[in-house]
Amino acid sequence: MPIDAPQPGFRQVAAVLRREIQEGKFAPGSVLPSEPELADRFEVTRSVVNRALAILRTEGLVRPQRGRGTTVNEIPVINRNAATRQRRDVREQGRGAFDAELRRLGLEPRSDLAQVGRVDAPADAAEALGIEAGAAVLIRRREMYANGKPVQLASSFVPWDIAEGTQLEQEDTGQGGLYSRLTDLGHEPKEFTEVVTVRPPTAEEARFLGMDEDQRVFVITRTAQSAGGRAVEVCIHVMPAHQWSLTYTWSAS
Amino acid sequence: MPIDAPQPGFRQVAAVLRREIQEGKFAPGSVLPSEPELADRFEVTRSVVNRALAILRTEGLVRPQRGRGTTVNEIPVINRNAATRQRRDVREQGRGAFDAELRRLGLEPRSDLAQVGRVDAPADAAEALGIEAGAAVLIRRREMYANGKPVQLASSFVPWDIAEGTQLEQEDTGQGGLYSRLTDLGHEPKEFTEVVTVRPPTAEEARFLGMDEDQRVFVITRTAQSAGGRAVEVCIHVMPAHQWSLTYTWSAS
DNA sequence: CAGTGGTCTAGACCACCAC
DNA sequence: TGGTGGTCTAGACCACTGC
């Protein structure tokens, strides 16, 4: 069909290498030929090979490292099912939805509480909570791992007048977690909204998630509303977009 | 905080230009200084400027064109709310959810039916329908525009034994659209599942959507199940990831 | 036609890693 | 120490646009 232009050289090289990786010619974990070698093979300069590999790196297919060569990634896509995440029965198993999702894939989950305390609300969280940026909120920031490798960041924010002096300020939020405590406090979450966007990672996010700045992250902003319509919590998830798929289910109405 | 490395030059240049665009120093629709001029200003070669602009292009901030210069994009983010899309009351307004979403933003929607007929099921659609790849299905492929500019592709697939000889094969599916006809045929959709992923566009998608191959698309695969648990339709939406946000809402259970 | 951005070459210097 | 990938320069040719 394409009567018009052939692709530029660096895209052709990327396409060939991509296909060879997908066909298993280069197995996950193995090291590609060096850039000078590939330059010889394709009869281009190393600049062209470097640019081609940058494409595959951005797609999450390979991981070039100085001094070590370019290794082929294993890319198990992790599915995240939103509908089941806030269900009481799942919560009250003790272990969270993140744990269940990873175990289903045979991965070993770990979740560290990196920060908990009172902070000024950042703009995005404030907007989701319907309060002014800079107002006091409780932050609970978590760093999540699969088989020891970082895969997700999640920060919960709760208005300070709700969280102050409660178990939400403790490291351990107790049986059933944050939502159960909100329920105890008379702020039972009734309605959930998730907004999904995609953007480049910040420098900090890229560092923790082991990403390139040219890659993309999913940003999921979940707002929990109580029966009164008040936003009682917002949780912002950040994860590499090429590593996750998101599932939502609902019934006809 | 960053005690360590300063960013490479092309990222610094990109960061400066990004900020200047966001601060309004370069208004949407205006043309940036040429690459040689920017190279002079930042005291780097044109290669570095070119690479910096490639970053902004990938982010959808800017659109370089040969011979014409690099123009600043207007980027109204379109929100897509899944929960309200399949509601009967919305459907039966006659105009679809896509129309409503765009009109809310003051944009003029248009939707063209680009293809309708019997085809062999592509792999992704077949998997979602739970049938073998290559089995006969009805395809309804639509191309969608906002103010005349392409913003989305959507292809519906219905198993051929359901669609054959029905109004679904016609250009106009009638009042209430495809889901209403499925209901008439005894296959009322009861449960919807959407799976969201992100990937580079295919060459064809990039051409239609006016995208660069380094940008990213949302792929939303929605499966409609009847009461019997059979997948009666799957619709695959493709849209530029930097131009859309996706919203899902549900109640506690 | 002159000026734009897209691509490529040839060569260089560097930080980093394994040996 | 030699090889790796990351970045940059200087220069070139090209397709395309607008005049």
Side-chain angles (χ1 to χ4, degrees):
Chain A
M1 217 67 47
I3 309 170
D4 54 6
Q7 295 236 316
F10 67 91
R11 286 200 198 282
Q12 296 183 34
V13 172
V16 170
L17 293 174
R18 188 188 298 113
R19 194 163 42 74
E20 291 182 347
I21 289 171
Q22 285 164 348
E23 286 174 353
K25 186 164 170 179
F26 299 113
S30 67
V31 180
L32 290 185
S34 73
E35 292 187 358
E37 283 170 343
L38 290 171
D40 279 352
R41 168 181 167 194
F42 291 107
E43 297 182 320
V44 293
T45 53
R46 187 167 77 91
S47 306
V48 173
V49 172
N50 184 272
R51 198 168 171 188
L53 289 177
I55 293 179
L56 303 185
R57 177 188 58 194
T58 300
E59 294 173 7
L61 269 181
V62 301
R63 178 177 197 77
Q65 286 167 285
R66 266 193 293 231
R68 207 173 308 184
T70 300
T71 48
V72 179
N73 281 338
E74 13 223 335
I75 30 170
V77 172
I78 308 172
N79 184 59
R80 173 185 185 275
N81 192 323
T84 58
R85 293 178 69 84
Q86 280 71 43
R87 279 171 48 191
R88 276 191 215 89
D89 53 344
V90 172
R91 289 211 315 267
E92 291 170 359
Q93 284 173 355
R95 321 212 49 97
F98 175 79
D99 280 37
E101 282 159 9
L102 263 64
R103 289 190 197 285
R104 204 178 307 131
L105 289 164
L107 300 169
E108 181 65 26
R110 199 183 89 225
S111 184
D112 290 352
L113 188 63
Q115 183 187 3
V116 52
R118 173 183 165 153
V119 295
D120 297 342
D124 48 1
E127 188 189 340
L129 286 173
I131 61 180
E132 324 85 58
V137 291
L138 172 76
I139 185 176
R140 298 184 60 89
R141 194 159 71 81
R142 284 169 296 153
E143 299 175 343
M144 286 121 109
Y145 303 81
N147 287 353
K149 299 207 307 194
V151 290
Q152 189 175 145
L153 287 164
S155 294
S156 270
F157 299 89
V158 179
W160 187 244
D161 67 287
I162 294 180
E164 184 177 12
T166 71
Q167 193 174 1
L168 297 177
E169 291 187 71
Q170 307 304 313
E171 285 219 1
D172 182 358
T173 50
Q175 179 73 18
L178 189 146
Y179 288 148
S180 296
R181 291 301 81 68
L182 283 174
T183 300
D184 298 344
L185 294 165
H187 298 287
E188 182 180 10
K190 285 291 192 185
E191 185 110 341
F192 297 95
T193 302
E194 289 197 349
V195 179
V196 180
T197 59
V198 170
R199 60 160 171 76
T202 66
E204 190 186 358
E205 289 163 355
R207 200 179 324 126
F208 173 72
L209 295 169
M211 296 176 68
D212 193 280
E213 307 207 28
D214 295 324
Q215 296 182 317
R216 292 292 181 268
V217 290
F218 275 125
V219 180
I220 303 177
T221 305
R222 181 182 59 251
T223 307
Q225 285 188 308
S226 62
R230 179 177 180 191
V232 293
E233 186 241 17
V234 56
C235 186
I236 301 177
H237 296 258
V238 177
M239 59 199 95
H242 61 266
Q243 210 169 52
W244 290 80
S245 73
L246 313 177
T247 299
Y248 296 90
T249 302
W250 66 95
S251 294
S253 59
Chain B
M1 221 66 49
I3 309 168
D4 54 7
Q7 295 238 316
F10 67 92
R11 286 201 198 282
Q12 295 184 35
V13 172
V16 170
L17 293 175
R18 187 188 298 112
R19 194 163 42 76
E20 290 183 349
I21 289 171
Q22 286 164 348
E23 286 175 353
K25 186 163 171 181
F26 299 113
S30 67
V31 179
L32 290 185
S34 73
E35 292 187 358
E37 283 170 343
L38 290 171
D40 278 354
R41 170 182 165 193
F42 292 106
E43 298 181 319
V44 293
T45 52
R46 186 166 78 89
S47 306
V48 173
V49 172
N50 184 272
R51 198 167 170 190
L53 290 177
I55 293 179
L56 304 185
R57 177 188 58 192
T58 299
E59 293 173 7
L61 267 182
V62 116
R63 180 178 197 76
Q65 285 166 287
R66 265 194 295 231
R68 206 175 302 184
T70 300
T71 50
V72 179
N73 281 337
E74 14 223 337
I75 28 168
V77 172
I78 309 173
N79 184 56
R80 172 184 186 276
N81 192 322
T84 58
R85 293 177 69 84
Q86 279 72 43
R87 279 171 48 191
R88 278 192 214 87
D89 54 344
V90 172
R91 287 208 320 263
E92 291 169 358
Q93 285 173 355
R95 321 212 51 99
F98 175 79
D99 280 39
E101 283 160 9
L102 265 64
R103 288 190 198 286
R104 204 177 310 132
L105 289 165
L107 300 170
E108 181 66 22
R110 199 181 92 225
S111 183
D112 290 353
L113 188 63
Q115 182 187 3
V116 53
R118 173 182 163 154
V119 295
D120 297 340
D124 48 1
E127 189 190 339
L129 286 172
I131 61 180
E132 323 86 56
V137 292
L138 172 77
I139 185 176
R140 298 184 60 89
R141 195 160 70 80
R142 284 170 296 155
E143 299 175 342
M144 288 121 107
Y145 303 81
N147 287 354
K149 298 206 309 192
V151 289
Q152 189 176 145
L153 288 164
S155 294
S156 270
F157 299 89
V158 179
W160 186 245
D161 66 286
I162 294 178
E164 183 178 12
T166 70
Q167 194 174 0
L168 297 177
E169 290 188 69
Q170 306 303 313
E171 285 219 0
D172 183 358
T173 50
Q175 179 73 21
L178 189 146
Y179 288 148
S180 295
R181 292 299 82 68
L182 284 174
T183 301
D184 299 345
L185 293 165
H187 298 286
E188 181 179 12
K190 284 293 191 185
E191 185 108 342
F192 298 94
T193 302
E194 289 197 349
V195 179
V196 180
T197 58
V198 169
R199 60 162 172 77
T202 66
E204 189 186 359
E205 290 163 354
R207 201 179 321 125
F208 173 73
L209 294 169
M211 296 176 69
D212 192 280
E213 308 206 29
D214 295 323
Q215 297 181 317
R216 292 292 181 268
V217 290
F218 275 125
V219 180
I220 303 177
T221 304
R222 181 182 60 250
T223 308
Q225 285 188 309
S226 62
R230 179 177 180 191
V232 294
E233 186 241 18
V234 55
C235 188
I236 300 175
H237 296 258
V238 177
M239 60 200 93
H242 60 266
Q243 209 168 54
W244 290 80
S245 72
L246 314 177
T247 300
Y248 296 90
T249 303
W250 66 95
S251 294
S253 62

